[in-house]
Coordinates of all heavy atoms in Angstrom, one line a residue:
M27 N 0.8 -1.2 0.0 CA 0.0 0.0 0.0 C 0.9 1.2 0.0 O 1.9 1.3 0.7 CB -0.9 0.0 1.2 CG -1.9 1.1 1.2 SD -3.0 0.8 2.6 CE -4.2 2.0 2.2
A28 N 0.5 2.2 -0.7 CA 1.3 3.5 -0.9 C 1.2 4.3 0.4 O 0.1 4.3 1.0 CB 0.8 4.3 -2.0
S29 N 2.3 4.9 0.8 CA 2.3 5.6 2.1 C 1.7 7.0 1.9 O 1.2 7.6 2.8 CB 3.7 5.8 2.6 OG 4.5 6.5 1.7
S30 N 1.7 7.5 0.7 CA 1.0 8.8 0.4 C 0.2 8.7 -0.9 O 0.5 7.8 -1.7 CB 2.0 9.9 0.3 OG 2.8 9.8 -0.8
S31 N -0.6 9.6 -1.2 CA -1.4 9.6 -2.4 C -0.7 10.0 -3.6 O -1.1 9.8 -4.7 CB -2.7 10.4 -2.2 OG -2.3 11.8 -2.0
R32 N 0.5 10.5 -3.4 CA 1.3 11.0 -4.6 C 2.2 10.0 -5.1 O 2.9 10.2 -6.1 CB 2.1 12.2 -4.2 CG 1.2 13.4 -3.9 CD 2.1 14.7 -3.6 NE 1.2 15.8 -3.3 CZ 1.0 16.8 -4.1 NH1 1.6 16.8 -5.3 NH2 0.2 17.8 -3.8
E33 N 2.4 8.9 -4.4 CA 3.3 7.8 -4.9 C 2.6 7.1 -6.1 O 1.4 6.9 -6.1 CB 3.6 6.8 -3.9 CG 4.6 7.2 -2.9 CD 4.9 6.1 -1.9 OE1 4.9 4.9 -2.3 OE2 5.2 6.4 -0.7
L34 N 3.4 6.8 -7.1 CA 2.9 6.1 -8.3 C 2.8 4.6 -8.0 O 3.8 4.0 -7.4 CB 3.8 6.3 -9.5 CG 3.8 7.7 -10.0 CD1 4.8 7.8 -11.2 CD2 2.4 8.1 -10.5
V35 N 1.8 4.0 -8.3 CA 1.6 2.5 -8.1 C 1.9 1.8 -9.4 O 1.4 2.1 -10.4 CB 0.1 2.3 -7.7 CG1 -0.1 0.8 -7.5 CG2 -0.2 3.0 -6.4
K36 N 2.8 0.9 -9.3 CA 3.2 0.1 -10.5 C 2.0 -0.9 -10.7 O 1.5 -1.5 -9.8 CB 4.4 -0.7 -10.2 CG 5.6 0.1 -10.0 CD 6.1 0.6 -11.3 CE 7.4 1.4 -11.1 NZ 8.0 1.9 -12.3
V37 N 1.6 -1.0 -12.0 CA 0.6 -1.9 -12.4 C 1.2 -3.2 -12.9 O 2.0 -3.2 -13.8 CB -0.3 -1.2 -13.5 CG1 -1.4 -2.2 -13.9 CG2 -0.9 0.1 -13.0
D38 N 0.8 -4.3 -12.3 CA 1.3 -5.6 -12.7 C 0.5 -6.1 -13.9 O -0.8 -6.2 -13.8 CB 1.1 -6.6 -11.6 CG 1.8 -7.9 -11.9 OD1 2.6 -8.0 -12.8 OD2 1.4 -8.9 -11.2
P39 N 1.1 -6.4 -15.1 CA 0.4 -6.9 -16.2 C -0.4 -8.2 -16.0 O -1.3 -8.5 -16.7 CB 1.5 -7.1 -17.3 CG 2.6 -6.2 -16.9 CD 2.5 -6.1 -15.4
A40 N 0.0 -8.9 -14.9 CA -0.7 -10.2 -14.6 C -2.1 -9.8 -14.0 O -3.0 -10.5 -14.2 CB 0.1 -11.0 -13.6
D41 N -2.2 -8.7 -13.3 CA -3.4 -8.3 -12.7 C -4.3 -7.6 -13.7 O -5.5 -7.8 -13.7 CB -3.2 -7.4 -11.5 CG -2.5 -8.1 -10.3 OD1 -2.7 -9.4 -10.3 OD2 -1.8 -7.5 -9.6
E42 N -3.7 -6.7 -14.5 CA -4.4 -6.0 -15.5 C -3.7 -6.1 -16.8 O -2.7 -5.4 -17.1 CB -4.5 -4.5 -15.1 CG -5.2 -4.3 -13.8 CD -5.3 -2.9 -13.4 OE1 -5.3 -2.0 -14.3 OE2 -5.5 -2.6 -12.2
P43 N -4.1 -7.0 -17.7 CA -3.4 -7.2 -19.0 C -3.4 -6.0 -19.9 O -2.5 -5.9 -20.7 CB -4.3 -8.4 -19.6 CG -5.1 -8.9 -18.6 CD -5.3 -7.9 -17.5
S44 N -4.3 -5.1 -19.8 CA -4.3 -3.9 -20.7 C -3.1 -3.0 -20.4 O -2.7 -2.3 -21.3 CB -5.6 -3.1 -20.5 OG -5.6 -2.6 -19.2
A45 N -2.5 -3.1 -19.2 CA -1.3 -2.3 -18.9 C -0.1 -2.7 -19.8 O 0.8 -1.9 -20.0 CB -1.0 -2.4 -17.4
E46 N -0.1 -3.9 -20.2 CA 1.0 -4.4 -21.0 C 1.1 -3.7 -22.4 O 2.2 -3.4 -22.9 CB 0.9 -5.9 -21.2 CG 2.0 -6.6 -21.9 CD 1.8 -8.1 -22.0 OE1 1.1 -8.5 -22.9 OE2 2.4 -8.8 -21.2
W47 N 0.0 -3.5 -23.0 CA 0.0 -2.8 -24.4 C -0.3 -1.4 -24.3 O -0.5 -0.8 -25.4 CB -0.8 -3.6 -25.4 CG -2.2 -4.0 -24.9 CD1 -2.5 -5.2 -24.3 CD2 -3.4 -3.3 -25.1 NE1 -3.8 -5.2 -24.0 CE2 -4.4 -4.1 -24.5 CE3 -3.7 -2.1 -25.6 CZ2 -5.7 -3.7 -24.5 CZ3 -5.0 -1.6 -25.6 CH2 -6.0 -2.4 -25.0
G48 N -0.4 -0.8 -23.2 CA -0.4 0.7 -23.1 C -1.8 1.3 -22.8 O -1.9 2.4 -22.3
W49 N -2.9 0.6 -23.1 CA -4.2 1.2 -22.8 C -4.5 1.0 -21.4 O -4.5 -0.1 -20.8 CB -5.3 0.6 -23.7 CG -6.6 1.3 -23.5 CD1 -7.0 2.4 -24.0 CD2 -7.6 0.9 -22.6 NE1 -8.2 2.8 -23.6 CE2 -8.6 1.9 -22.7 CE3 -7.8 -0.1 -21.7 CZ2 -9.8 1.8 -21.9 CZ3 -9.0 -0.2 -20.9 CH2 -9.9 0.8 -21.1
H50 N -4.8 2.1 -20.7 CA -5.1 2.0 -19.3 C -6.1 3.1 -18.9 O -5.8 4.0 -18.1 CB -3.8 2.1 -18.5 CG -4.0 1.4 -17.1 ND1 -4.2 0.1 -17.0 CD2 -4.0 2.0 -15.9 CE1 -4.3 -0.2 -15.7 NE2 -4.3 1.0 -15.0
G51 N -7.2 3.2 -19.6 CA -8.2 4.1 -19.1 C -8.4 5.4 -19.9 O -9.1 6.2 -19.4
T52 N -7.8 5.6 -21.0 CA -8.0 6.8 -21.8 C -8.6 6.4 -23.2 O -8.4 5.3 -23.7 CB -6.7 7.5 -22.0 OG1 -5.8 6.7 -22.7 CG2 -6.1 7.9 -20.7
F53 N -9.3 7.3 -23.8 CA -9.9 7.2 -25.1 C -9.4 8.3 -26.0 O -10.1 9.3 -26.1 CB -11.4 7.2 -25.0 CG -12.0 6.1 -24.1 CD1 -12.3 6.4 -22.8 CD2 -12.2 4.9 -24.6 CE1 -12.8 5.4 -22.0 CE2 -12.7 3.8 -23.8 CZ -13.0 4.1 -22.5
P54 N -8.3 8.1 -26.6 CA -7.7 9.3 -27.3 C -8.5 9.7 -28.5 O -8.4 10.9 -28.9 CB -6.3 8.7 -27.7 CG -6.4 7.3 -27.7 CD -7.5 7.0 -26.6
K55 N -9.2 8.9 -29.2 CA -10.0 9.3 -30.4 C -11.5 9.7 -30.0 O -12.1 10.5 -30.7 CB -10.0 8.2 -31.4 CG -8.7 8.0 -32.0 CD -8.7 7.0 -33.1 CE -7.4 6.7 -33.7 NZ -7.4 5.7 -34.7
A56 N -12.0 9.2 -28.9 CA -13.4 9.4 -28.5 C -13.6 10.8 -28.0 O -14.6 11.4 -28.2 CB -13.8 8.4 -27.6
I57 N -12.6 11.4 -27.3 CA -12.8 12.7 -26.6 C -12.9 13.8 -27.7 O -13.9 14.6 -27.6 CB -11.7 12.9 -25.6 CG1 -11.8 11.9 -24.5 CG2 -11.7 14.3 -25.1 CD1 -10.7 11.9 -23.5
P58 N -12.0 13.9 -28.7 CA -12.2 14.9 -29.7 C -13.5 14.7 -30.5 O -14.1 15.6 -30.9 CB -11.0 14.8 -30.6 CG -9.9 14.1 -29.8 CD -10.7 13.2 -28.8
T59 N -13.8 13.4 -30.8 CA -15.0 13.1 -31.5 C -16.2 13.6 -30.7 O -17.2 14.2 -31.3 CB -15.1 11.6 -31.8 OG1 -13.9 11.2 -32.5 CG2 -16.3 11.3 -32.6
A60 N -16.3 13.4 -29.5 CA -17.4 13.8 -28.6 C -17.5 15.3 -28.6 O -18.6 15.9 -28.6 CB -17.3 13.3 -27.2
G61 N -16.3 16.0 -28.6 CA -16.3 17.4 -28.7 C -16.9 18.0 -29.9 O -17.7 18.9 -29.9
V62 N -16.5 17.4 -31.1 CA -17.0 17.9 -32.3 C -18.5 17.6 -32.5 O -19.3 18.4 -32.9 CB -16.2 17.2 -33.5 CG1 -16.9 17.5 -34.8 CG2 -14.8 17.7 -33.5
V63 N -18.9 16.4 -32.0 CA -20.4 16.1 -32.1 C -21.2 17.1 -31.2 O -22.2 17.5 -31.6 CB -20.6 14.6 -31.7 CG1 -22.1 14.3 -31.4 CG2 -20.0 13.7 -32.7
T64 N -20.6 17.4 -30.0 CA -21.3 18.3 -29.1 C -21.4 19.7 -29.7 O -22.5 20.4 -29.7 CB -20.6 18.4 -27.8 OG1 -20.5 17.1 -27.2 CG2 -21.3 19.3 -26.8
A65 N -20.4 20.2 -30.4 CA -20.4 21.5 -31.0 C -21.4 21.5 -32.2 O -22.1 22.5 -32.4 CB -19.0 21.8 -31.5
I66 N -21.4 20.4 -33.0 CA -22.4 20.3 -34.0 C -23.8 20.4 -33.5 O -24.7 21.1 -34.0 CB -22.2 19.1 -34.9 CG1 -20.9 19.3 -35.7 CG2 -23.3 18.8 -35.8 CD1 -20.4 18.0 -36.4
L67 N -24.1 19.6 -32.4 CA -25.4 19.6 -31.8 C -25.8 21.0 -31.3 O -27.0 21.4 -31.4 CB -25.5 18.6 -30.7 CG -25.5 17.1 -31.2 CD1 -25.4 16.2 -30.0 CD2 -26.7 16.8 -32.1
L68 N -24.9 21.7 -30.7 CA -25.1 23.1 -30.2 C -25.5 24.0 -31.4 O -26.4 24.9 -31.2 CB -23.9 23.6 -29.5 CG -23.8 23.1 -28.0 CD1 -22.4 23.6 -27.5 CD2 -24.9 23.6 -27.1
C69 N -24.9 23.8 -32.5 CA -25.2 24.6 -33.7 C -26.5 24.2 -34.3 O -27.3 25.1 -34.8 CB -24.1 24.6 -34.7 SG -22.6 25.4 -34.2
L70 N -26.9 22.9 -34.2 CA -28.2 22.5 -34.7 C -29.3 23.0 -33.9 O -30.5 23.1 -34.4 CB -28.2 21.0 -34.8 CG -27.4 20.3 -35.9 CD1 -27.4 18.8 -35.7 CD2 -27.8 20.8 -37.2
I71 N -29.1 23.4 -32.7 CA -30.1 24.0 -31.8 C -30.7 25.3 -32.5 O -31.9 25.6 -32.3 CB -29.6 24.3 -30.4 CG1 -29.3 23.0 -29.6 CG2 -30.5 25.2 -29.6 CD1 -28.7 23.2 -28.3
L72 N -29.9 25.9 -33.2 CA -30.3 27.2 -33.8 C -31.3 27.1 -35.0 O -31.8 28.1 -35.5 CB -29.1 28.0 -34.2 CG -28.1 28.4 -33.1 CD1 -26.9 29.1 -33.6 CD2 -28.9 29.3 -32.1
I73 N -31.4 25.9 -35.5 CA -32.3 25.7 -36.6 C -33.7 26.0 -36.1 O -34.2 25.4 -35.2 CB -32.2 24.3 -37.2 CG1 -30.8 24.1 -37.9 CG2 -33.3 24.0 -38.2 CD1 -30.6 22.7 -38.4
G74 N -34.4 26.8 -36.8 CA -35.8 27.2 -36.4 C -35.8 28.7 -36.4 O -35.3 29.4 -37.2
H75 N -36.4 29.2 -35.4 CA -36.5 30.7 -35.3 C -36.0 31.1 -33.9 O -36.7 31.0 -32.9 CB -38.0 31.1 -35.4 CG -38.9 30.4 -34.6 ND1 -39.2 30.9 -33.3 CD2 -39.7 29.3 -34.7 CE1 -40.1 30.1 -32.7 NE2 -40.4 29.1 -33.6
P76 N -34.8 31.5 -33.8 CA -34.2 32.0 -32.6 C -35.0 33.3 -32.1 O -35.3 34.2 -33.0 CB -32.8 32.3 -32.8 CG -32.6 32.3 -34.3 CD -33.8 31.6 -34.9
A77 N -35.3 33.4 -30.9 CA -36.1 34.5 -30.4 C -35.2 35.7 -30.1 O -35.7 36.8 -30.2 CB -36.9 34.1 -29.1
S78 N -34.0 35.5 -29.7 CA -33.1 36.6 -29.4 C -31.7 36.2 -29.6 O -31.3 35.1 -29.9 CB -33.3 37.0 -27.9 OG -32.9 36.0 -27.1
W79 N -30.8 37.2 -29.5 CA -29.4 37.0 -29.6 C -28.8 36.2 -28.4 O -27.8 35.6 -28.5 CB -28.7 38.3 -29.7 CG -28.8 39.0 -31.0 CD1 -29.7 40.0 -31.3 CD2 -28.1 38.7 -32.2 NE1 -29.6 40.3 -32.7 CE2 -28.6 39.5 -33.2 CE3 -27.1 37.7 -32.5 CZ2 -28.1 39.4 -34.5 CZ3 -26.6 37.7 -33.8 CH2 -27.1 38.5 -34.8
T80 N -29.6 36.1 -27.3 CA -29.2 35.3 -26.2 C -29.1 33.9 -26.5 O -28.1 33.2 -26.2 CB -30.1 35.6 -25.0 OG1 -30.2 37.0 -24.8 CG2 -29.6 34.9 -23.8
E81 N -30.0 33.4 -27.3 CA -30.0 32.0 -27.7 C -28.8 31.7 -28.6 O -28.2 30.7 -28.5 CB -31.3 31.6 -28.5 CG -32.5 31.5 -27.6 CD -33.7 31.1 -28.4 OE1 -33.6 30.7 -29.6 OE2 -34.8 31.2 -27.8
I82 N -28.5 32.6 -29.5 CA -27.4 32.5 -30.4 C -26.1 32.5 -29.5 O -25.2 31.7 -29.7 CB -27.4 33.6 -31.4 CG1 -28.6 33.4 -32.4 CG2 -26.1 33.5 -32.3 CD1 -28.8 34.5 -33.3
L83 N -26.0 33.4 -28.6 CA -24.9 33.6 -27.7 C -24.6 32.3 -26.9 O -23.5 31.8 -26.9 CB -25.0 34.8 -26.8 CG -23.9 35.1 -25.9 CD1 -22.7 35.6 -26.7 CD2 -24.3 36.0 -24.8
F84 N -25.6 31.7 -26.3 CA -25.5 30.5 -25.5 C -25.4 29.3 -26.3 O -25.2 28.2 -25.7 CB -26.6 30.4 -24.5 CG -26.4 31.3 -23.3 CD1 -27.1 32.5 -23.2 CD2 -25.6 31.0 -22.3 CE1 -26.9 33.4 -22.1 CE2 -25.4 31.7 -21.2 CZ -26.0 33.0 -21.1
A85 N -25.5 29.3 -27.6 CA -25.3 28.1 -28.4 C -24.0 28.2 -29.2 O -23.3 27.2 -29.3 CB -26.5 27.9 -29.3
V86 N -23.7 29.3 -29.8 CA -22.5 29.4 -30.7 C -21.2 29.6 -29.9 O -20.2 29.0 -30.2 CB -22.7 30.6 -31.7 CG1 -21.5 30.8 -32.5 CG2 -23.9 30.3 -32.6
V87 N -21.3 30.4 -28.8 CA -20.0 30.6 -28.1 C -19.5 29.3 -27.5 O -18.3 29.0 -27.6 CB -20.2 31.7 -27.0 CG1 -19.0 31.8 -26.1 CG2 -20.4 33.1 -27.7
P88 N -20.3 28.5 -26.8 CA -19.8 27.2 -26.3 C -19.3 26.3 -27.4 O -18.3 25.6 -27.2 CB -20.9 26.6 -25.5 CG -21.8 27.8 -25.2 CD -21.7 28.8 -26.3
A89 N -20.0 26.3 -28.5 CA -19.6 25.5 -29.7 C -18.2 25.9 -30.2 O -17.4 25.0 -30.5 CB -20.6 25.5 -30.8
V90 N -18.0 27.2 -30.3 CA -16.7 27.7 -30.8 C -15.6 27.4 -29.7 O -14.5 26.9 -30.1 CB -16.8 29.2 -31.1 CG1 -15.4 29.8 -31.3 CG2 -17.7 29.5 -32.2
V91 N -15.9 27.5 -28.5 CA -14.9 27.2 -27.4 C -14.6 25.7 -27.5 O -13.4 25.3 -27.4 CB -15.5 27.6 -26.0 CG1 -14.6 27.1 -24.9 CG2 -15.6 29.1 -26.0
I92 N -15.6 24.8 -27.6 CA -15.3 23.4 -27.7 C -14.5 23.1 -28.9 O -13.5 22.3 -28.8 CB -16.6 22.6 -27.7 CG1 -17.3 22.7 -26.3 CG2 -16.4 21.2 -28.1 CD1 -18.8 22.2 -26.3
L93 N -14.8 23.6 -30.1 CA -14.0 23.4 -31.3 C -12.6 23.9 -31.1 O -11.6 23.2 -31.6 CB -14.7 24.0 -32.5 CG -15.9 23.3 -33.0 CD1 -16.6 24.1 -34.1 CD2 -15.7 21.8 -33.4
L94 N -12.4 25.0 -30.5 CA -11.0 25.5 -30.3 C -10.3 24.6 -29.4 O -9.1 24.3 -29.6 CB -11.0 26.9 -29.7 CG -11.4 28.0 -30.7 CD1 -11.5 29.4 -29.9 CD2 -10.3 28.1 -31.7
A95 N -10.9 24.1 -28.3 CA -10.3 23.1 -27.4 C -9.9 21.8 -28.1 O -8.8 21.3 -27.9 CB -11.2 22.8 -26.2
V96 N -10.8 21.4 -29.0 CA -10.4 20.2 -29.8 C -9.2 20.4 -30.7 O -8.3 19.6 -30.7 CB -11.6 19.7 -30.6 CG1 -11.2 18.6 -31.6 CG2 -12.7 19.1 -29.6
V97 N -9.2 21.6 -31.4 CA -8.1 21.9 -32.3 C -6.8 22.0 -31.5 O -5.7 21.5 -31.9 CB -8.4 23.1 -33.1 CG1 -7.2 23.6 -33.9 CG2 -9.5 22.8 -34.1
V98 N -6.8 22.8 -30.4 CA -5.6 23.0 -29.6 C -5.1 21.7 -29.0 O -3.9 21.4 -29.0 CB -5.9 24.1 -28.5 CG1 -4.8 24.1 -27.5 CG2 -6.1 25.4 -29.1
G99 N -6.0 20.9 -28.5 CA -5.6 19.6 -27.9 C -5.0 18.7 -29.0 O -4.0 18.0 -28.7
T100 N -5.6 18.7 -30.2 CA -5.0 17.9 -31.3 C -3.6 18.4 -31.7 O -2.7 17.6 -31.9 CB -5.9 17.9 -32.5 OG1 -7.2 17.5 -32.1 CG2 -5.4 17.1 -33.6
L101 N -3.4 19.7 -31.8 CA -2.1 20.3 -32.1 C -1.1 20.0 -31.0 O 0.0 19.7 -31.3 CB -2.2 21.7 -32.4 CG -3.0 22.1 -33.7 CD1 -3.1 23.6 -33.7 CD2 -2.3 21.6 -34.9
R102 N -1.5 20.1 -29.8 CA -0.6 19.8 -28.7 C -0.2 18.4 -28.6 O 1.0 18.0 -28.3 CB -1.2 20.2 -27.3 CG -1.3 21.7 -27.2 CD -1.8 22.1 -25.8 NE -0.7 21.8 -24.8 CZ -1.0 21.8 -23.5 NH1 -2.1 22.1 -23.1 NH2 0.0 21.4 -22.7
K103 N -1.2 17.5 -28.9 CA -0.9 16.1 -28.9 C 0.0 15.7 -30.1 O 0.9 14.8 -30.0 CB -2.2 15.2 -29.0 CG -1.9 13.7 -28.9 CD -3.2 13.0 -28.9 CE -4.0 13.2 -27.6 NZ -5.2 12.4 -27.6
R104 N -0.1 16.4 -31.2 CA 0.7 16.1 -32.4 C 2.1 16.5 -32.1 O 3.1 15.9 -32.7 CB 0.1 16.8 -33.6 CG 0.8 16.5 -34.9 CD 0.1 17.1 -36.0 NE -1.2 16.5 -36.2 CZ -2.2 16.9 -37.0 NH1 -1.9 17.9 -37.8 NH2 -3.3 16.2 -37.1
N105 N 2.3 17.6 -31.4 CA 3.7 18.1 -31.1 C 4.2 17.6 -29.8 O 5.2 18.1 -29.3 CB 3.7 19.6 -31.1 CG 3.3 20.1 -32.5 OD1 3.6 19.5 -33.5 ND2 2.7 21.3 -32.6
D106 N 3.6 16.6 -29.2 CA 4.0 16.2 -27.9 C 5.2 15.3 -28.0 O 5.4 14.5 -28.9 CB 2.9 15.3 -27.2 CG 3.1 15.1 -25.8 OD1 4.0 15.7 -25.2 OD2 2.3 14.3 -25.2
W107 N 6.2 15.5 -27.1 CA 7.5 14.8 -27.1 C 7.3 13.4 -26.5 O 8.2 12.5 -26.7 CB 8.5 15.5 -26.3 CG 8.2 15.7 -24.8 CD1 7.5 16.7 -24.2 CD2 8.6 14.8 -23.8 NE1 7.4 16.4 -22.9 CE2 8.1 15.3 -22.6 CE3 9.3 13.6 -23.8 CZ2 8.3 14.7 -21.4 CZ3 9.5 13.0 -22.5 CH2 9.0 13.5 -21.4
R108 N 6.2 13.1 -25.9 CA 6.0 11.7 -25.3 C 5.3 10.7 -26.2 O 5.0 9.7 -25.7 CB 5.2 11.9 -24.0 CG 5.9 12.6 -22.9 CD 5.0 12.8 -21.7 NE 4.0 13.9 -22.0 CZ 2.9 14.0 -21.5 NH1 2.5 13.1 -20.6 NH2 2.1 15.0 -21.7
R109 N 5.2 11.0 -27.4 CA 4.5 10.1 -28.3 C 5.0 8.8 -28.2 O 5.4 7.9 -28.2 CB 4.5 10.5 -29.7 CG 3.6 11.7 -30.0 CD 3.4 11.9 -31.5 NE 4.6 12.6 -31.9 CZ 4.8 13.0 -33.2 NH1 4.0 12.5 -34.1 NH2 5.8 13.7 -33.5

């Protein structure tokens, strides 16, 4: 048992076979895909008749922020030294 919460725990491949080939709880392609799908759905909310600029503001601004986060995350991962 670790004496503090900051110690790294070694994962034994016998206990968790996925640790041997590198996957251990992350979804590298699903997170950007979910971001793009969410941004598209936020933009699809505007189809119809928006009553005010507030609806546009609360749908488009989060969609743009999500798309920027996906693009920045993709660029950072592409230039990451730990590949």
Side-chain angles (χ1 to χ4, degrees):
M27 185 172 190
S29 62
S30 71
S31 62
R32 292 183 182 253
E33 283 187 31
L34 294 177
V35 177
K36 296 284 185 177
V37 177
D38 186 20
D41 293 335
E42 298 182 27
S44 63
E46 185 177 80
W47 46 271
W49 184 82
H50 202 68
T52 61
F53 299 98
K55 292 183 182 178
I57 294 172
T59 304
V62 170
V63 168
T64 303
I66 290 171
L67 290 174
L68 282 171
C69 290
L70 288 176
I71 289 173
L72 296 176
I73 293 177
H75 54 88
S78 67
W79 284 98
T80 306
E81 290 182 10
I82 295 171
L83 182 71
F84 279 99
V86 173
V87 171
V90 170
V91 169
I92 291 171
L93 288 176
L94 283 174
V96 168
V97 169
V98 169
T100 304
L101 291 176
R102 288 185 69 191
K103 185 180 286 186
R104 186 173 293 173
N105 295 331
D106 194 10
W107 63 272
R108 292 177 283 156
R109 283 194 279 176

